[in-house]
PDB file of all heavy atoms in Angstrom:
ATOM      1  N   CYS A  74       2.063  15.805   8.856  1.00  0.00           N
ATOM      2  CA  CYS A  74       2.922  16.955   8.606  1.00  0.00           C
ATOM      3  C   CYS A  74       3.812  16.774   7.379  1.00  0.00           C
ATOM      4  O   CYS A  74       4.348  17.741   6.856  1.00  0.00           O
ATOM      5  CB  CYS A  74       3.761  17.258   9.841  1.00  0.00           C
ATOM      6  SG  CYS A  74       4.641  15.840  10.505  1.00  0.00           S
ATOM      7  N   ALA A  75       3.978  15.552   6.881  1.00  0.00           N
ATOM      8  CA  ALA A  75       4.839  15.321   5.719  1.00  0.00           C
ATOM      9  C   ALA A  75       4.046  15.258   4.411  1.00  0.00           C
ATOM     10  O   ALA A  75       4.637  15.275   3.345  1.00  0.00           O
ATOM     11  CB  ALA A  75       5.657  14.045   5.900  1.00  0.00           C
ATOM     12  N   GLY A  76       2.722  15.165   4.482  1.00  0.00           N
ATOM     13  CA  GLY A  76       1.936  15.230   3.254  1.00  0.00           C
ATOM     14  C   GLY A  76       0.985  14.074   3.006  1.00  0.00           C
ATOM     15  O   GLY A  76      -0.157  14.283   2.652  1.00  0.00           O
ATOM     16  N   PHE A  77       1.453  12.837   3.162  1.00  0.00           N
ATOM     17  CA  PHE A  77       0.626  11.673   2.868  1.00  0.00           C
ATOM     18  C   PHE A  77       0.736  10.650   3.989  1.00  0.00           C
ATOM     19  O   PHE A  77       1.776  10.516   4.613  1.00  0.00           O
ATOM     20  CB  PHE A  77       1.065  10.997   1.554  1.00  0.00           C
ATOM     21  CG  PHE A  77       0.936  11.892   0.359  1.00  0.00           C
ATOM     22  CD1 PHE A  77       2.034  12.581  -0.132  1.00  0.00           C
ATOM     23  CD2 PHE A  77      -0.283  12.059  -0.280  1.00  0.00           C
ATOM     24  CE1 PHE A  77       1.925  13.420  -1.236  1.00  0.00           C
ATOM     25  CE2 PHE A  77      -0.411  12.887  -1.377  1.00  0.00           C
ATOM     26  CZ  PHE A  77       0.697  13.576  -1.855  1.00  0.00           C
ATOM     27  N   GLY A  78      -0.335   9.909   4.190  1.00  0.00           N
ATOM     28  CA  GLY A  78      -0.330   8.840   5.176  1.00  0.00           C
ATOM     29  C   GLY A  78      -0.812   7.549   4.552  1.00  0.00           C
ATOM     30  O   GLY A  78      -1.579   7.553   3.582  1.00  0.00           O
ATOM     31  N   TYR A  79      -0.346   6.445   5.076  1.00  0.00           N
ATOM     32  CA  TYR A  79      -0.785   5.125   4.623  1.00  0.00           C
ATOM     33  C   TYR A  79      -2.096   4.776   5.319  1.00  0.00           C
ATOM     34  O   TYR A  79      -2.292   5.095   6.488  1.00  0.00           O
ATOM     35  CB  TYR A  79       0.260   4.063   4.963  1.00  0.00           C
ATOM     36  CG  TYR A  79       1.606   4.312   4.342  1.00  0.00           C
ATOM     37  CD1 TYR A  79       2.668   4.809   5.097  1.00  0.00           C
ATOM     38  CD2 TYR A  79       1.822   4.055   2.997  1.00  0.00           C
ATOM     39  CE1 TYR A  79       3.906   5.035   4.532  1.00  0.00           C
ATOM     40  CE2 TYR A  79       3.060   4.283   2.412  1.00  0.00           C
ATOM     41  CZ  TYR A  79       4.103   4.774   3.185  1.00  0.00           C
ATOM     42  OH  TYR A  79       5.318   5.002   2.620  1.00  0.00           O
ATOM     43  N   VAL A  80      -2.979   4.095   4.595  1.00  0.00           N
ATOM     44  CA  VAL A  80      -4.244   3.641   5.145  1.00  0.00           C
ATOM     45  C   VAL A  80      -4.350   2.138   4.901  1.00  0.00           C
ATOM     46  O   VAL A  80      -4.290   1.690   3.758  1.00  0.00           O
ATOM     47  CB  VAL A  80      -5.446   4.359   4.482  1.00  0.00           C
ATOM     48  CG1 VAL A  80      -6.751   3.861   5.064  1.00  0.00           C
ATOM     49  CG2 VAL A  80      -5.320   5.863   4.615  1.00  0.00           C
ATOM     50  N   LEU A  81      -4.501   1.369   5.966  1.00  0.00           N
ATOM     51  CA  LEU A  81      -4.680  -0.080   5.868  1.00  0.00           C
ATOM     52  C   LEU A  81      -6.093  -0.431   6.317  1.00  0.00           C
ATOM     53  O   LEU A  81      -6.538   0.017   7.373  1.00  0.00           O
ATOM     54  CB  LEU A  81      -3.673  -0.817   6.753  1.00  0.00           C
ATOM     55  CG  LEU A  81      -2.234  -0.858   6.265  1.00  0.00           C
ATOM     56  CD1 LEU A  81      -1.329  -1.458   7.336  1.00  0.00           C
ATOM     57  CD2 LEU A  81      -2.121  -1.643   4.978  1.00  0.00           C
ATOM     58  N   ASP A  82      -6.781  -1.222   5.495  1.00  0.00           N
ATOM     59  CA  ASP A  82      -8.121  -1.677   5.826  1.00  0.00           C
ATOM     60  C   ASP A  82      -8.260  -3.141   5.459  1.00  0.00           C
ATOM     61  O   ASP A  82      -7.652  -3.608   4.483  1.00  0.00           O
ATOM     62  CB  ASP A  82      -9.179  -0.895   5.033  1.00  0.00           C
ATOM     63  CG  ASP A  82      -9.330   0.531   5.504  1.00  0.00           C
ATOM     64  OD1 ASP A  82      -9.513   0.731   6.718  1.00  0.00           O
ATOM     65  OD2 ASP A  82      -9.272   1.441   4.654  1.00  0.00           O
ATOM     66  N   LEU A  83      -9.093  -3.852   6.206  1.00  0.00           N
ATOM     67  CA  LEU A  83      -9.439  -5.219   5.836  1.00  0.00           C
ATOM     68  C   LEU A  83     -10.368  -5.161   4.624  1.00  0.00           C
ATOM     69  O   LEU A  83     -11.232  -4.290   4.543  1.00  0.00           O
ATOM     70  CB  LEU A  83     -10.125  -5.937   6.996  1.00  0.00           C
ATOM     71  CG  LEU A  83      -9.268  -6.133   8.245  1.00  0.00           C
ATOM     72  CD1 LEU A  83     -10.107  -6.719   9.368  1.00  0.00           C
ATOM     73  CD2 LEU A  83      -8.079  -7.021   7.954  1.00  0.00           C
TER      74      LEU A  83
END
Side-chain angles (χ1 to χ4, degrees):
C74 51
F77 298 98
Y79 300 104
V80 180
L81 286 172
D82 288 308
L83 296 174

